[in-house]
Amino acid sequence: MFGDIYKGKKILVTGHTGFKGSWLTVWLLHLGADVIGYSKDIPSTPSMFEELGLESRIKHVIADVRDLNAVQNIIEIEKPDIVFHLAAQAIVSTSYADPVETISTNAIGTMNVLESLRQVNHPCIAVMITSDKCYDNVEWVWGYKETDALGGKDVYSGSKGMAELVIKSYYHSFMADEKCNVKIGVGRAGNVIGGGDWAKDRIVVDCMEAWSQNNAVTIRCPSATRPWQHVMEPLSGYLNLGMALGESPDLHGETFNFGPRAEQNRTVVDLLEDLGSYWGHKRGEGYDVTDNIPFHEAGLLKLNCDKALFHLKWDANLHYAETIKFVSEWYYTFYKEKNDMYAFTLGQIEAYGELAAKREKKWTNQK
């Protein structure tokens, strides 16, 4: 799987204690990697990182990505073969409450990682993760391409656009030279759902917490449409990109969108009713709608992933019903059955891989 590129390799994951970082850490361990995690804290309670006991399975470092000296030290000491930079302030509501933290983490933090990487004297691959929110969203009905304008009306979107500009400028200023030891690629994805997410102001999280206590959840934008995708989808894209950067030097500096199948577009209400069916809810049950909308949220945002298909031979694996099943079963198992969640998460990764192999995804048949 993934050409065995991760087996026995030293992998640095920034933001490893977060939702996506925890899933990526489990997957990398499954692939035989030696994982070093770098995060400033445990971002939620409960925490997937803690529930899966990941601290005992990796080298766990608590430090802030905004601390240049700390980032330089970890990269200099560990000399990672591959870096996945996921550390970010990723909550839209928090960006309104604390724009300084959002911009400094997402833009300056990205700069610190790149500044540290450009000084390494060993070969290294870096996959820089931003967001679909980096695009200047005018809410058109077709997907955004990697060449479309960056920007955003809100601080969170702006911070992700800034991060992209930092990456682009560092690449052209310092890393485009063939003598550079670092090969970088950028992954953009959004609207990720999956078991183990307990971040603030996220619709699936709010639902699962409420339903586990037999309460209704309050939603504010029932008709908002999103291209919902399971967390394993973009992670398979990031892992594909890391593999491709090692095999194809011409991909150095390129950006890639990772999004779901077109049929994954659903309204918030559709998503809640489909998730609710696993908790015994009938249509219209399990949620209430409020008129209180405290901050701007885009009504529509989706990605064009043709570039990833062409260059990486990557496309989304799961159908919508499968996404709902993976999400619902993880949370139901956690709240109602109290199983070994590390083993359960690993089982979902293996099941995802089996579906991908059945559908002849390129990365599954590489040793």
Side-chain angles (χ1 to χ4, degrees):
M1 187 178 290
F2 300 110
D4 273 351
I5 188 175
Y6 299 105
K7 187 174 183 179
K9 296 293 178 61
K10 187 175 284 191
I11 314 294
L12 173 63
V13 179
T14 71
H16 70 296
T17 58
F19 166 52
K20 288 172 73 174
S22 294
W23 272 93
L24 180 59
T25 297
V26 176
W27 204 334
L28 286 168
L29 290 171
H30 181 53
L31 295 172
D34 177 12
V35 179
I36 306 105
Y38 181 106
S39 294
K40 73 180 181 71
D41 56 22
I42 306 297
S44 65
T45 303
S47 154
M48 183 176 183
F49 180 80
E50 292 183 325
E51 294 295 338
L52 271 59
L54 292 178
E55 182 174 353
S56 65
R57 301 174 187 272
I58 66 171
K59 182 169 184 177
H60 171 58
V61 177
I62 292 293
D64 198 322
V65 75
R66 293 174 294 181
D67 184 338
L68 176 59
N69 289 334
V71 179
Q72 288 175 327
N73 286 341
I74 194 69
I75 290 177
E76 181 180 352
I77 292 169
E78 297 296 341
K79 294 180 172 53
D81 300 297
I82 302 170
V83 174
F84 288 93
H85 174 51
L86 281 74
Q89 194 303 95
I91 308 302
V92 173
S93 60
T94 300
S95 73
Y96 282 88
D98 196 342
V100 173
E101 179 189 7
T102 301
I103 292 172
S104 60
T105 301
N106 296 349
I108 303 303
T110 296
M111 180 195 72
N112 288 343
V113 171
L114 292 167
E115 176 64 16
S116 302
L117 285 171
R118 79 179 182 94
Q119 301 177 46
V120 303
N121 55 14
H122 69 280
C124 183
I125 291 169
V127 179
M128 311 294 292
I129 309 306
T130 63
S131 170
D132 62 351
K133 305 300 188 298
C134 70
Y135 292 107
D136 184 14
N137 184 14
V138 294
E139 302 202 16
W140 55 36
V141 295
W142 50 86
Y144 290 87
K145 298 180 293 185
E146 289 82 354
T147 52
D148 283 327
L150 303 176
K153 299 180 179 67
D154 61 276
V155 169
Y156 177 71
S157 299
S159 73
K160 289 300 186 178
M162 292 178 205
E164 289 278 353
L165 291 174
V166 168
I167 297 168
K168 181 178 180 180
S169 62
Y170 258 76
Y171 168 73
H172 287 287
S173 297
F174 307 115
M175 296 173 170
D177 191 316
E178 61 182 16
K179 296 179 182 179
C180 181
N181 289 311
V182 180
K183 304 299 179 188
I184 67 171
V186 181
R188 300 168 179 169
N191 298 302
V192 174
I193 58 177
D197 186 6
W198 281 288
K200 179 184 176 184
D201 293 331
R202 287 171 61 83
I203 185 61
V204 172
V205 179
D206 293 346
C207 286
M208 297 305 158
E209 289 182 335
W211 296 346
S212 69
Q213 301 174 45
N214 298 317
N215 295 326
V217 67
T218 299
I219 60 174
R220 58 180 178 265
C221 298
S223 61
T225 301
R226 298 285 187 269
W228 310 101
Q229 64 176 328
H230 194 276
V231 63
M232 289 185 284
E233 299 279 53
L235 291 184
S236 72
Y238 305 160
L239 290 165
N240 263 287
L241 178 54
M243 175 178 65
L245 286 166
E247 297 174 345
S248 305
D250 58 323
L251 295 180
H252 178 36
E254 292 293 327
T255 61
F256 291 92
N257 291 334
F258 298 105
R261 298 166 179 262
E263 54 94 16
Q264 301 279 90
N265 285 321
R266 294 291 195 284
T267 66
V268 170
V269 165
D270 289 337
L271 178 73
L272 265 58
E273 293 190 341
D274 293 332
L275 289 171
S277 67
Y278 281 79
W279 294 77
H281 294 159
K282 297 178 181 178
R283 291 185 64 83
E285 293 182 345
Y287 63 89
D288 299 311
V289 180
T290 179
D291 292 329
N292 179 25
I293 303 177
F295 49 82
H296 169 78
E297 289 186 285
L300 177 66
L301 176 60
K302 59 182 179 179
L303 301 177
N304 179 310
C305 302
D306 290 346
K307 184 178 178 181
L309 178 61
F310 182 81
H311 288 287
L312 308 179
K313 302 299 185 288
W314 179 92
D315 61 339
N317 180 28
L318 298 179
H319 296 285
Y320 175 74
E322 293 165 340
T323 297
I324 295 299
K325 184 174 186 290
F326 273 116
V327 175
S328 300
E329 290 184 350
W330 199 102
Y331 280 110
Y332 195 88
T333 298
F334 174 79
Y335 281 114
K336 298 297 185 180
E337 299 178 2
K338 303 296 182 181
N339 288 353
D340 178 345
M341 295 312 296
Y342 182 88
F344 190 85
T345 302
L346 186 57
Q348 288 203 329
I349 290 172
E350 292 173 339
Y352 178 87
E354 290 169 3
L355 285 171
K358 182 179 179 181
R359 291 160 184 166
E360 299 182 339
K361 304 299 179 182
K362 181 184 177 184
W363 51 271
T364 62
N365 57 22
Q366 297 190 356
K367 295 182 180 180

